[in-house]
Amino acid sequence: MEEKKKVVSIEDRIPKLKQIRKKKANRRLVQYLTILFLLIAIVVYLQSPLSHIRTVDIEGDRHVEADEIKELSGIMENTNFWKIDPEKVERKIGSHNQITGVEVSRELPSTIHIEVEEAERIGYVQINGQYQPILENGTRLDVEMNLPGGDAPILKGFTKLTYLKEMSKELKELPNSVARLISEIHWTPEEDNPYLITLYMNDGYEVQASLRTFSSKMPAYPSIVSQLSEDQEGIIHIDVGTYFEAYPTEENKEESAEENGNENQG
């Protein structure tokens, strides 16, 4: 005898359907309430001091004061953290003539990080007893200092802006390891060579070079010096050829004086 199939009446199904629907409705209600509470919490957060900027962190500042960068940014510590437009702040700070790059970012929960890249100071010029920095593009800053910064050589005699800008460009291309060895650079033009420059090095040597080939020939300086004995003093020529010219000694000076005297007597 075949087993009769069990038939569930619609009356038996209704309580289960009601229970399922009730669970779904409860879940929806919980979801809606959760979203509502989140929205309320966000509104309260945005209107409260919790959303204010508490720290402005500045990195990369060397010559431009951090307070000046912060002032340029327009960011105040009670400014809303989420109302800051990083690109707008970058444009404001980037308007400074000593800053070549800016990156602004948010760091949760309440810090704005500003990283700047400053134009390199490639030298200092002396005017009326004061020193003014020269940037990598040849611009002279309207800043007066009693002493040079010590991070770049002193440039003297560059009365023509054209030569000063060319010197700046050459120094920019020079490796820092070599640039740090230079104490002073003098523009010492001659009638047949307006590009002649004379360098005074921190190790006591004097170098004569051509402004036009300076950045390509000057990197060889450490190698040239390493081949000289420590007691040798003189001028290293790298303008046309490369050779060393020793300073005249007292003995050579006396011999030269005697020769001149003999010539005069003759």
Side-chain angles (χ1 to χ4, degrees):
M1 186 175 175
E2 293 183 1
E3 187 178 343
K4 291 183 179 181
K5 293 182 179 179
K6 187 175 182 180
V7 179
V8 179
S9 65
I10 190 68
E11 288 80 6
D12 293 332
R13 290 183 179 181
I14 287 174
K16 290 183 179 180
L17 290 172
K18 285 183 177 180
Q19 191 175 6
I20 292 171
R21 287 174 182 170
K22 186 176 180 180
K23 285 182 179 179
K24 286 183 178 179
N26 288 340
R27 280 200 298 269
R28 286 198 192 97
L29 179 62
V30 171
Q31 288 174 351
Y32 293 149
L33 288 175
T34 301
I35 293 170
L36 178 62
F37 285 131
L38 282 174
L39 291 173
I40 293 172
I42 290 171
V43 171
V44 171
Y45 165 73
L46 292 174
Q47 297 298 322
S48 73
L50 292 174
S51 65
H52 292 173
I53 295 168
R54 296 189 179 182
T55 306
V56 178
D57 182 32
I58 298 173
E59 183 182 350
D61 54 309
R62 294 179 301 160
H63 303 294
V64 183
E65 296 290 337
D67 289 342
E68 187 177 358
I69 295 172
K70 185 177 177 181
E71 186 177 349
L72 277 172
S73 72
I75 298 174
M76 308 295 290
E77 290 190 357
N78 61 351
T79 303
N80 189 291
F81 181 77
W82 298 104
K83 288 184 178 180
I84 292 295
D85 182 349
E87 290 185 0
K88 187 176 180 180
V89 175
E90 288 170 0
R91 287 194 298 271
K92 286 181 178 180
I93 298 173
S95 65
H96 197 289
N97 62 354
Q98 293 187 62
I99 295 177
T100 57
V102 191
E103 186 175 345
V104 177
S105 58
R106 297 187 184 94
E107 293 182 358
L108 293 172
S110 57
T111 297
I112 297 296
H113 181 77
I114 300 174
E115 186 173 357
V116 298
E117 183 178 347
E118 295 184 6
E120 186 180 352
R121 294 188 177 191
I122 54 82
Y124 295 86
V125 293
Q126 189 175 16
I127 298 175
N128 299 325
Q130 298 289 308
Y131 292 91
Q132 291 184 319
I134 301 294
L135 300 184
E136 57 194 59
N137 60 2
T139 302
R140 188 174 67 196
L141 294 180
D142 190 18
V143 176
E144 293 186 347
M145 309 167 62
N146 292 327
L147 293 171
D151 55 339
I154 299 170
L155 307 181
K156 291 188 176 183
F158 288 87
T159 54
K160 293 185 178 181
L161 184 60
T162 303
Y163 293 101
L164 180 61
K165 286 191 172 183
E166 192 162 348
M167 185 74 256
S168 303
K169 180 183 176 183
E170 291 292 308
L171 278 169
K172 172 64 178 174
E173 295 178 5
L174 194 67
N176 288 332
S177 58
V178 178
R180 285 195 294 265
L181 302 175
I182 306 171
S183 175
E184 296 182 7
I185 301 177
H186 295 232
W187 183 42
T188 53
E190 294 180 349
E191 189 174 348
D192 60 341
N193 185 5
Y195 297 97
L196 187 65
I197 54 176
T198 301
L199 290 76
Y200 296 92
M201 311 300 290
N202 290 321
D203 54 12
Y205 287 105
E206 183 180 337
V207 177
Q208 280 199 348
S210 172
L211 201 159
R212 286 189 160 178
T213 58
F214 175 74
S215 62
S216 62
K217 290 192 173 184
M218 195 60 192
Y221 176 80
S223 176
I224 296 169
V225 171
S226 67
Q227 298 175 41
L228 301 174
S229 59
E230 294 182 359
D231 58 345
Q232 283 185 293
E233 295 181 351
I235 304 171
I236 299 172
H237 293 264
I238 59 170
D239 48 343
V240 181
T242 301
Y243 63 96
F244 176 74
E245 177 190 354
Y247 289 138
T249 62
E250 290 299 323
E251 183 178 342
N252 289 338
K253 288 179 181 178
E254 289 176 2
E255 289 179 359
S256 178
E258 287 179 4
E259 288 177 2
N260 290 333
N262 292 334
E263 288 177 3
N264 290 334
Q265 289 176 4

